Amino acid sequence: MPTRPSSPLKPPAFPWTLSLFMGLIVLNASLVSPYIGWYDSGEMTGVTVCLGISHPSGQVLFHLLGKIFLLLAFGTSAFRLGLMSVACSALASGLFFVLSCRLAQKITGGKTSDALRMWLLLLTLAWSFSMPWWRYSLMPLVYALHLLLGMLVLWALSLEKPAKWPLAFFILGMATVFRPTQFFALPF
């Protein structure tokens, strides 16, 4: 019976990534404040509720995605937008874990063990719970979505398919419209 050629880069264990994502969602969702916090969270909440325009650059993608989270039938508007930040930060952490596993596979020649994945999981958790990142993951601010879009660009560039460039530039285009500083991710 012929065997299929194996892929040189195997994806990280799906249960690890799903456990990381669900654990971060549950933990961070239990810590989101139902009230407007400091910095721009009041502006972001108010503008998303009425679909207005916030200070430049406008963060249109944040407000449109936030309007979907405002359809949830529980909690205050600030809490529901905080849940959007939690979801974006958990997805960004999951992508960080996947990308670090892919990098480890390339470095080790495709030989990754569960012990290495455990270390990468601990690295991801250390990054996810670092004070600057965790603070912005619990508030209705644009930074979690900003980082998620940056991670999506890196994920698209890590694909080994011919369509990776159009996908990466599509995500980068969305990210640049969302926040022009994403433009600096282009390698000049």
Side-chain angles (χ1 to χ4, degrees):
M1 179 174 202
T3 60
R4 290 186 342 200
S6 63
S7 170
L9 289 178
K10 299 173 189 160
F14 180 73
W16 292 65
T17 309
L18 184 63
S19 299
L20 172 72
F21 174 74
M22 293 306 295
L24 288 173
I25 286 279
V26 169
L27 176 67
N28 289 345
S30 67
L31 297 173
V32 171
S33 172
Y35 307 107
I36 293 173
W38 62 282
Y39 203 50
D40 290 337
S41 64
E43 177 190 6
M44 293 297 135
T45 303
V47 169
T48 304
V49 167
C50 67
L51 279 182
I53 299 173
S54 59
H55 64 274
S57 65
Q59 289 94 8
V60 177
L61 184 61
F62 177 85
H63 301 307
L64 291 175
L65 289 175
K67 198 64 172 179
I68 294 170
F69 275 81
L70 288 177
L71 297 174
L72 295 173
F74 57 87
T76 62
S77 298
F79 178 76
R80 289 178 268 175
L81 289 176
L83 287 180
M84 183 181 83
S85 289
V86 164
C88 290
S89 68
L91 282 170
S93 294
L95 282 173
F96 182 85
F97 177 69
V98 168
L99 290 171
S100 62
C101 285
R102 284 187 183 175
L103 180 63
Q105 285 176 347
K106 283 191 176 193
I107 290 173
T108 61
K111 300 172 188 163
T112 57
S113 63
D114 282 344
L116 179 59
R117 283 194 181 122
M118 180 59 77
W119 281 108
L120 293 174
L121 182 67
L122 290 174
L123 171 72
T124 304
L125 288 173
W127 175 69
S128 300
F129 294 138
S130 65
M131 185 53 75
W133 174 233
W134 200 26
R135 177 183 305 155
Y136 294 122
S137 299
L138 302 176
M139 302 174 84
L141 293 172
V142 299
Y143 303 111
L145 180 59
H146 183 62
L147 187 63
L148 174 62
L149 290 169
M151 286 290 168
L152 281 171
V153 169
L154 292 175
W155 170 78
L157 290 175
S158 74
L159 296 175
E160 295 192 11
K161 298 183 177 176
K164 76 178 184 179
W165 291 106
L167 178 63
F169 280 108
F170 174 74
I171 295 168
L172 188 60
M174 282 193 330
T176 305
V177 167
F178 164 64
R179 196 161 170 90
T181 54
Q182 290 277 10
F183 183 74
F184 296 121
L186 288 176
F188 288 110

